[in-house]
Amino acid sequence: MAHLNSVVQIIVQEPGGAAYERMVAGTGWFPDTKQCNVPVGTLLTNAHVVRNAQHIFIRLPAAHQHDVPVGIRGISGDLDLAVLYLNPPQLKEVQGILKDRYDTSAIPTIRLADSDAVHPHR
């Protein structure tokens, strides 16, 4: 069941206003590190989710009440894509959560498909 943690909730705190007015949520995922040539602990999400972020956290399904801070590696407004990352202490924290819950510390990932090869079923 560890694979269910390849998709995470993104929680963003924006500057200004009351705390409940400054929260934004979205979805992100861990891409296949070999396919995308990225380090373990890299996440992808939409740029509009994190664009005005003061602080960004993820919540794993395995520990839904636990916020883990992440950083922004890059944002493309044109593609509406943001690349996030776990710093080494947070990466170890996530690996520890997975180890405790599923007896594996491997970060589950999602392999990206070729959008040109996707066709509707008729």
Side-chain angles (χ1 to χ4, degrees):
M1 298 292 278
H3 66 280
L4 297 177
N5 291 275
S6 59
V7 177
V8 299
Q9 185 177 24
I10 307 285
I11 305 294
V12 174
Q13 186 178 36
E14 295 179 335
Y20 66 89
E21 294 173 343
R22 300 181 289 144
M23 301 302 284
V24 176
T27 303
W29 70 95
F30 292 102
D32 183 295
T33 56
K34 291 179 184 166
Q35 178 193 30
C36 297
N37 194 29
V38 295
V40 173
T42 299
L43 296 116
L44 300 176
T45 191
N46 293 107
H48 70 266
V49 174
V50 298
R51 185 171 289 120
N52 298 317
Q54 184 174 14
H55 302 287
I56 306 170
F57 305 90
I58 63 167
R59 291 182 182 168
L60 297 168
H64 194 15
Q65 299 298 320
H66 184 73
D67 294 343
V68 179
V70 297
I72 297 176
R73 185 153 330 274
I75 295 179
S76 171
D78 293 342
L79 299 173
D80 193 26
L81 182 67
V83 180
L84 310 178
Y85 66 95
L86 290 164
N87 281 315
Q90 286 73 35
L91 176 59
K92 287 182 181 181
E93 182 179 357
V94 168
Q95 290 171 323
I97 291 167
L98 295 171
K99 181 72 173 165
D100 290 345
R101 182 80 186 257
Y102 304 108
D103 199 31
T104 178
S105 61
I107 302 288
T109 62
I110 294 178
R111 189 162 177 80
L112 301 178
D114 178 356
S115 62
D116 292 334
V118 176
H119 302 282
H121 182 61
R122 295 178 190 199

